[in-house]
Amino acid sequence: MVVIGVFSPEFQTIVQLKHEFDPSRPLEPGDPAYVDCTSVRGDDDITVDLGRTITDAQRKTCQIYSGHRGGGKSTELKKLKQWLEERGFFVVYFAAATEDAGDLNLKDTEYSDILLACARNIIDGLKSLEGLDSQPIAQWISKSFDDLKTILSADIKIDDLKTNVELQLSQFAKLTTAVRLEPQKRDQVRKLMLDRTESLETALNDLLANARQKLPLGKRDLVVMADNLDRISPVDRTQGRTNHDEIFLDRADSLKSLNCHTIYTAPVSFVFSASASRLRDEYDGVERLPMVAIADRDHQMLNDGYAKLRDVLARRVAKAAPGRSLVPDVFADEAAVQRLCVASGGHMRELMRLVQESLKRIDVLPISLKTVQRAIAEARETYLDAIRFEDWEALMAVEQTKDSRNECEDRCRNLLFRLCVLEYREWDEENDEKITWAAVHPLIRSSKEFKQRWEAFVKANP
């Protein structure tokens, strides 16, 4: 192995490439690395599917946006934010949670946690409005202070809350931090919030009403986007229900109560559940972002899908290393690029992660096919380690039916949430309709264990 100095141009190029392929960083609007993948996602377009529902509405709307974690929803929502701003809307976008930060504990989330997260971020998003009157929020904190004082700052002066928005924000930050990090206090906050959710909803609506009057010239209405709620882990309740049912159905009226246009992300496994029709009844729109179709239902590579993913890689290389080509400067040959794209299954974060893993294994460019294969093998082991014995039956059912709605539907939904099963969509020109199908993640399907189990399944089910 060739070892080079940390200050060498080659080393710095590799560092820049690692940064540009950061799988946790969504692209901002106007980023030259952005690739429009609408044509290989079943012609789904967020500005049409969600945006026009807002711009054409005569009343406030509430919509759900779903899709696999890491599939590109945040990037699309940021694009929608800019599109709406250009059409006269004041948009508050926030990521309610990440894997290690934010306002929510993703493994244990209830509606009141989301309401507190919305409150903190809405206040933060509106505080720049000149002349904003945040008295409703100050009054809510004041009335709740005695019960919440073990969590809030005991030494603050209530009178200071009336005019100090930053102080109001700090109190909500303490509440959301307690919910996210401290189990004992999380239970305490939730218990106290049982009698305070409606009053907080009212206070937020009063704040939004005042904010609407203070909008800058040229702005006509407000939109709130709560991202990353799709990462909330399912927690089983009674009678086959989960916390997802409690949040998005039982508390649908509460989620819709904010007096502005709202968009919430939701777990793809829940949108695919038996509750799907109820979701469409409750909300003004339920849209999903499918994966980039890199292969068809027979696992034959699609040239259009591959071209899009290759462009995703090429544009990021151009940003990180101007003057360097995707092939042969960064990747030794086209086979290495193709292997990466196919292994990702058209999942954007997986593609970024595989590139990063490949970059970690080298000291000098280009990345060889062998290096790519080793990165893929390591990623495959991660997926296989997460598969339980009872999951294999569901994976066989998906491979056979190309559909996650089969006799193993409950387990398939869990596999959707865990990214072991991916959703795709295409536009059928002949019949003028969208066709949706599911596929086992290529990293799993290419494993020896899957191939052996599939061969045995086919023999047993001729």
Side-chain angles (χ1 to χ4, degrees):
M1 179 183 291
V2 178
V3 179
I4 58 175
V6 296
F7 298 109
S8 71
E10 186 80 348
F11 180 86
Q12 294 303 317
T13 296
I14 293 173
V15 169
Q16 282 300 112
L17 285 166
K18 288 178 182 177
H19 172 74
E20 195 57 45
F21 284 96
D22 181 354
S24 65
R25 183 172 58 87
L27 296 178
E28 296 296 328
D31 193 310
Y34 177 77
V35 176
D36 185 354
C37 293
T38 301
S39 63
V40 290
R41 292 189 191 264
D43 284 338
D44 285 49
D45 186 340
I46 194 170
T47 60
V48 174
D49 299 331
L50 276 74
R52 289 184 184 172
T53 298
I54 293 173
T55 58
D56 297 346
Q58 299 298 310
R59 57 173 178 79
K60 66 169 185 167
T61 63
C62 183
Q63 301 181 81
I64 296 293
Y65 190 46
S66 184
H68 294 285
R69 290 172 293 123
K73 290 185 303 301
S74 296
T75 295
E76 293 299 302
L77 283 171
K78 286 172 178 266
K79 181 179 78 169
L80 177 61
K81 177 178 182 289
Q82 182 184 56
W83 187 87
L84 288 169
E85 287 171 341
E86 291 169 350
R87 284 154 182 79
F89 289 86
F90 188 97
V91 183
V92 176
Y93 164 91
F94 64 94
T98 61
E99 296 298 336
D100 55 1
D103 298 298
L104 304 177
N105 183 304
L106 294 171
K107 295 181 179 179
D108 180 9
T109 304
E110 296 184 1
Y111 166 72
S112 61
D113 310 343
I114 295 172
L115 178 61
L116 288 171
C118 286
R120 189 185 77 78
N121 287 282
I122 288 171
I123 297 166
D124 192 36
L126 297 178
K127 68 182 181 181
S128 63
L129 294 177
E130 187 175 350
L132 178 70
D133 180 7
S134 62
Q135 281 292 308
I137 301 300
Q139 291 171 4
W140 184 87
I141 297 174
S142 299
K143 290 178 181 178
S144 306
F145 191 80
D146 286 342
D147 290 325
L148 296 173
K149 62 185 177 182
T150 57
I151 298 165
L152 301 177
S153 297
D155 58 345
I156 68 166
K157 296 179 180 179
I158 298 298
D159 287 344
D160 292 342
L161 284 169
K162 297 177 182 178
T163 56
N164 192 329
V165 178
E166 292 295 342
L167 184 57
Q168 296 168 18
L169 268 176
S170 71
Q171 302 311 298
F172 277 98
K174 287 183 173 65
L175 291 173
T176 59
T177 298
V179 166
R180 182 169 65 88
L181 298 177
E182 304 177 59
Q184 262 191 328
K185 288 186 177 180
R186 181 185 311 142
D187 293 339
Q188 180 186 357
V189 171
R190 287 173 178 172
K191 185 176 179 180
L192 294 170
M193 284 296 294
L194 286 175
D195 298 325
R196 289 170 176 77
T197 54
E198 288 188 17
S199 61
L200 181 53
E201 290 164 2
T202 300
L204 281 174
N205 280 331
D206 290 343
L207 178 70
L208 288 165
N210 180 262
R212 191 172 282 105
Q213 296 174 1
K214 305 298 182 182
L215 290 176
L217 188 65
K219 296 295 181 183
R220 57 173 168 147
D221 211 343
L222 292 161
V223 179
V224 170
M225 298 179 179
D227 196 4
N228 286 1
L229 302 183
D230 58 297
R231 301 184 184 188
I232 297 172
S233 297
V235 178
D236 291 335
R237 303 300 196 211
T238 58
Q239 299 179 329
R241 304 177 84 247
T242 71
N243 57 329
H244 294 166
D245 292 278
E246 294 174 349
I247 292 168
F248 295 102
L249 288 179
D250 298 353
R251 301 310 297 262
D253 287 342
S254 298
L255 288 174
K256 296 185 292 184
S257 68
L258 291 182
N259 192 20
C260 63
H261 297 287
T262 48
I263 297 174
Y264 300 99
T265 55
V268 66
S269 53
F270 186 60
V271 174
F272 265 96
S273 72
S275 302
S277 59
R278 285 191 61 196
L279 276 174
R280 291 201 172 274
D281 287 340
E282 290 286 356
Y283 296 93
D284 295 293
V286 180
E287 301 295 338
R288 303 194 305 270
L289 180 70
M291 296 295 92
V292 170
I294 182 68
D296 63 18
R297 281 165 285 186
D298 296 321
H299 309 304
Q300 299 301 307
M301 194 177 75
L302 296 171
N303 291 332
D304 289 348
Y306 174 62
K308 288 290 185 182
L309 292 185
R310 191 186 189 285
D311 195 18
V312 167
L313 299 178
R315 292 196 186 198
R316 292 188 183 237
V317 165
K319 274 188 67 181
R324 300 268 189 133
S325 63
L326 180 65
V327 177
D329 293 340
V330 174
F331 290 93
D333 51 43
E334 198 67 32
V337 174
Q338 182 173 309
R339 188 79 178 84
L340 270 179
C341 293
V342 171
S344 75
H347 185 272
M348 289 298 181
R349 184 178 295 167
E350 192 68 71
L351 182 61
M352 301 299 111
R353 188 180 290 122
L354 288 172
V355 175
Q356 272 210 341
E357 286 300 319
S358 298
L359 287 165
K360 287 178 184 177
R361 296 171 176 276
I362 63 168
D363 288 319
V364 293
L365 294 167
I367 302 168
S368 67
L369 175 60
K370 184 177 180 179
T371 298
V372 165
Q373 289 172 328
R374 286 181 176 176
I376 290 171
E378 185 172 313
R380 181 185 296 115
E381 286 302 312
T382 301
Y383 276 90
L384 292 176
D385 288 344
I387 295 175
R388 300 184 292 267
F389 177 79
E390 60 269 22
D391 292 331
W392 286 108
E393 182 184 5
L395 290 170
M396 296 300 110
V398 171
E399 181 69 8
Q400 181 186 44
T401 64
K402 315 301 181 189
D403 194 346
S404 61
R405 298 183 177 110
N406 53 56
E407 66 271 17
C408 302
E409 185 172 349
D410 289 343
R411 274 173 282 168
C412 284
R413 286 203 307 273
N414 188 269
L415 290 167
L416 281 165
F417 185 82
R418 288 153 52 197
L419 305 176
C420 296
V421 171
L422 302 176
E423 180 209 359
Y424 299 91
R425 197 174 303 160
E426 65 179 298
W427 184 258
D428 184 346
E429 297 286 353
E430 183 177 346
N431 297 306
D432 198 29
E433 64 178 355
K434 287 181 181 179
I435 298 175
T436 299
W437 79 92
V440 178
H441 197 300
L443 288 172
I444 298 172
R445 198 175 57 78
S446 60
S447 68
K448 289 182 180 179
E449 186 166 2
F450 180 90
K451 291 175 181 177
Q452 290 169 354
R453 288 179 179 273
W454 177 244
E455 183 178 349
F457 179 86
V458 170
K459 287 181 179 178
N461 299 272

